[in-house]
Amino acid sequence: MKFAAGYQCVAVGELFSDLIKDYLPAVGEVYFSYPGIASGRPESDCLPDKIAQTEYELSVIRKMGVSLDLLINGNCYGRYAVSEKFERQILTTIDHLGKNDLMPEIVTTTTPFAAAAVKKFFPEIEVRASVNMRIDSTTAMGYLFDKFDSFYIRRDLQRDLETVEFFSKFCKDNGKKLCMLANSGCLRNCPYQTFHDNLVSHDEEIREIRNVRDFCPHLCWERYQDQENVSDFLRSSWLRPEDVPRYAPWVDVIKLATRNTSSIRMILGAYTSNHFNGNLFDLTEPCFSSLFAPSILDNRLLDGVPLPGLCATNCTRCGRCEEIISRCFK
């Protein structure tokens, strides 16, 4: 089992590539978006020459022996979604990276169109089904065997080890890999996810429009305005760093969300060491520590406490989560 960290291009401070050195060999993959292709996060404007810095840092990371994972995991590509233009953009981007000794070992995507294109023209590249596809059945995986080599399990399932083991065995029996995302801060089974992912894909257009100011497109942020809803965070899908070793027999890659956080070193340090003495709100993406401040969710007070699993999908409000929160939310 290895960790995958998300590349972040920064204008000031420590370079991402310098930071990664301290977490080898635990970090075996770095996933990255390429400027101009929509991904599962908004396009950042960190530098006037983002492409040059991205390629420089990826080159440094490649020399460390870390695999590169190109993201084409936007939820919507608009009118070009199945176009020759989009296919050319995908292929020319990969070809360009290859000519610069940055050929990705992996492409992670939400779109079967992109998966099919990569499979056809770059069969040596591992094609991975994005966590944003929300694959929650082996039936769904089976439908995709001709286009994908590895799969992220739907994060809402992953706290149940028996379910993870079942998916893992199915993948191994069929020559596939199972991956998971450890530190998502999203609400469990969030009904806004498709809506929000579409917004992210069109982020550049949306920022050019005068939008309604009193509507919050992020359900988690809306609910957490009332701190009485903090138990929703406990019911989410994130894993404590201490629980990660339990997944080693079943999961090939554990993804750490680090593309939109100021806590990269904290996140990598916690999960690669399987230990964290701090505020759990700091480890997730989105990060909610500022929203709940000055209160924290003390990770040490959860030692030995089983987190809610599949029961949280159809929560009956039995009171257990609220009882746990009363002890560790200070």
Side-chain angles (χ1 to χ4, degrees):
M1 187 178 69
K2 57 189 173 184
F3 292 98
Y7 173 71
Q8 185 177 139
C9 180
V10 296
V12 294
E14 185 175 32
L15 291 178
F16 182 86
S17 53
D18 289 337
L19 181 153
I20 285 294
K21 294 177 186 176
D22 294 338
Y23 301 99
L24 300 176
V27 174
E29 296 179 4
V30 164
Y31 59 94
F32 67 98
S33 60
Y34 197 80
I37 300 180
S39 72
R41 289 290 182 272
E43 187 77 38
S44 64
D45 299 316
C46 69
L47 288 173
D49 198 355
K50 182 179 179 181
I51 290 178
Q53 177 164 328
T54 298
E55 292 186 355
Y56 164 75
E57 291 202 74
L58 292 179
S59 177
V60 173
I61 291 166
R62 162 60 55 78
K63 290 173 183 175
M64 297 177 193
V66 176
S67 297
L68 302 180
D69 178 3
L70 171 64
L71 301 179
I72 309 176
N73 66 337
N75 205 54
C76 179
Y77 290 94
R79 59 179 174 167
Y80 295 114
V82 293
S83 68
E84 292 181 358
K85 178 178 179 178
F86 186 36
E87 183 182 66
R88 282 196 302 273
Q89 184 183 25
I90 294 168
L91 302 180
T92 56
T93 298
I94 295 174
D95 187 59
H96 168 79
L97 289 169
K99 288 177 178 176
N100 287 278
D101 295 322
L102 298 174
M103 177 66 75
E105 284 82 5
I106 308 147
V107 169
T108 295
T109 185
T110 52
T111 159
F113 177 78
V118 175
K119 270 287 171 206
K120 180 178 179 180
F121 293 98
F122 297 98
E124 72 277 14
I125 293 178
E126 176 185 334
V127 183
R128 184 171 296 170
S130 168
V131 69
N132 293 333
M133 292 181 74
R134 288 177 278 178
I135 294 175
D136 57 9
S137 70
T138 54
T139 302
M141 284 184 175
Y143 293 150
L144 299 171
F145 277 173
D146 62 328
K147 296 181 178 68
F148 292 92
D149 305 298
S150 53
F151 299 88
Y152 277 102
I153 190 172
R154 181 168 180 161
R155 55 195 168 204
D156 306 295
L157 301 178
Q158 64 192 26
R159 282 191 182 168
D160 186 74
L161 271 176
E162 288 186 8
T163 299
V164 174
E165 180 181 356
F166 175 75
F167 274 74
S168 175
K169 185 176 186 304
F170 180 79
C171 285
K172 289 176 181 176
D173 287 349
N174 290 280
K176 307 294 181 179
K177 296 179 183 177
L178 186 67
C179 312
M180 62 188 292
L181 169 59
N183 65 322
S184 170
C186 295
L187 294 173
R188 180 179 288 266
N189 299 97
C190 180
Y192 273 34
Q193 184 178 342
T194 299
F195 169 72
H196 178 232
D197 287 349
N198 283 339
L199 287 179
V200 171
S201 294
H202 295 282
D203 180 66
E204 186 175 346
E205 302 161 66
I206 289 169
R207 283 188 287 173
E208 295 176 351
I209 302 297
R210 178 178 289 179
N211 298 300
V212 174
R213 294 187 179 184
D214 61 355
F215 176 75
C216 179
H218 314 298
L219 184 58
C220 50
W221 288 93
E222 179 183 307
R223 286 189 60 78
Y224 292 148
Q225 295 301 318
D226 181 353
Q227 293 202 2
E228 290 297 314
N229 291 322
V230 66
S231 58
D232 287 342
F233 184 81
L234 194 68
R235 279 186 283 268
S236 298
S237 66
W238 49 266
L239 303 176
R240 297 179 69 223
E242 292 79 2
D243 290 336
V244 164
R246 300 167 63 202
Y247 292 84
W250 318 121
V251 178
D252 295 282
V253 177
I254 290 191
K255 175 181 177 180
L256 299 176
T258 56
R259 290 204 289 151
N260 286 87
T261 179
S262 60
S263 306
I264 302 175
R265 185 172 285 281
M266 183 186 298
I267 292 168
L268 293 181
Y271 283 97
T272 58
S273 68
N274 307 135
H275 177 80
F276 182 58
N277 185 23
N279 180 10
L280 280 164
F281 295 134
D282 286 328
L283 292 188
T284 62
E285 189 181 287
C287 173
F288 297 111
S289 55
S290 62
L291 187 60
F292 288 112
S295 297
I296 68 166
L297 189 63
D298 191 336
N299 184 50
R300 292 274 59 87
L301 296 180
L302 285 173
D303 287 345
V305 179
L307 296 175
L310 295 184
C311 64
T313 295
N314 294 292
C315 179
T316 60
R317 303 292 169 176
C318 69
R320 178 172 170 265
C321 290
E322 287 72 18
E323 191 276 329
I324 295 172
I325 283 291
S326 70
R327 290 187 277 124
C328 62
F329 181 61
K330 304 293 184 183

